[in-house]
Amino acid sequence: MDALHTAGVRFAQALQAGPPWLEKFWISVTSLADPKCIFTVCFPLAYFLDRKVGVSVLWIGLVSEWLNVVLKWFLFGERPFWWVYESGLASKEQVVLRQFPVSCETGPGDPSGHCMITGAALWPLVTALTALASARSRSLVLKLTPFVAYALLLLAVGLSRVFILAHFPHQVVSGILAGAALGWSLQAHIPATRGFFVAAALALLLGTLTLHSLVITTGIDIDW
């Protein structure tokens, strides 16, 4: 893993060595793609456009947020900002990296929550826009535009997370793949009743507490 982490640090260095104007862009992207925006911005907008799509965004966002935390408990994952010093790499060779106000995230980093939750929750919105474009036009370019925009957004979010040293590239890739797979698999199973959401929220809460207790009991320090 050290070789993979070192390669990730080199990639982050290359990103940070880019044009100065890109710095504001990457920081803006990582801020706008914060998982909280799924619930405060994307869900209301999607619900306004189409109730079913809005509920899909909310439901998939909720499940992906929960699953991301659980995966991090078991996969752990170092954070580049801390790993550079804890691994001793910074003392062995000169590592030129810049710190930003959003660099010092703590806790496990694999998979990337920004990529996974955004990728999962936006999937139903992208497929709905694709269906709308297909119904109104025969242009292949227009039909593919929502998915191209989706892919470019996730790429930008992933690069922004590497740029600020919050994640290694492989954590970003795993987040994107997990998010797209989760969005695709859950889209066909969207609840239609309010009671289901209450029951699901309680089930996720109890499931989290149970898993937390089991992990602690087995001697795994999830607060490392």
Side-chain angles (χ1 to χ4, degrees), residues 8-16 30 78-85 95-100 102-106 158-169 171:
V9 170
R10 298 282 182 269
F11 185 70
Q13 282 183 290
L15 274 180
Q16 291 192 354
T30 200
E78 300 280 355
R79 297 275 187 173
F81 178 80
W82 307 104
W83 181 85
V84 169
Y85 302 100
V95 180
V96 181
L97 291 170
R98 289 151 58 207
Q99 177 185 353
F100 304 95
V102 288
S103 291
C104 307
E105 291 195 30
T106 59
L159 291 175
S160 74
R161 302 303 288 163
V162 175
F163 179 85
I164 67 168
L165 306 179
H167 290 288
F168 288 100
Q171 297 171 346

Side-chain angles (χ1 to χ4, degrees), residues 22-67:
L22 272 176
E23 177 181 324
K24 290 184 178 180
F25 174 74
W26 294 130
I27 293 177
S28 297
V29 168
T30 200
S31 298
L32 292 173
D34 189 286
K36 291 191 293 291
C37 292
I38 293 296
F39 304 100
T40 59
V41 179
C42 295
F43 160 64
L45 288 176
Y47 192 88
F48 175 77
L49 294 174
D50 185 278
R51 182 182 182 279
K52 185 177 180 180
V53 175
V55 172
S56 299
V57 170
L58 178 64
W59 169 240
I60 296 176
L62 174 67
V63 174
S64 59
E65 179 91 47
W66 179 85
L67 186 58

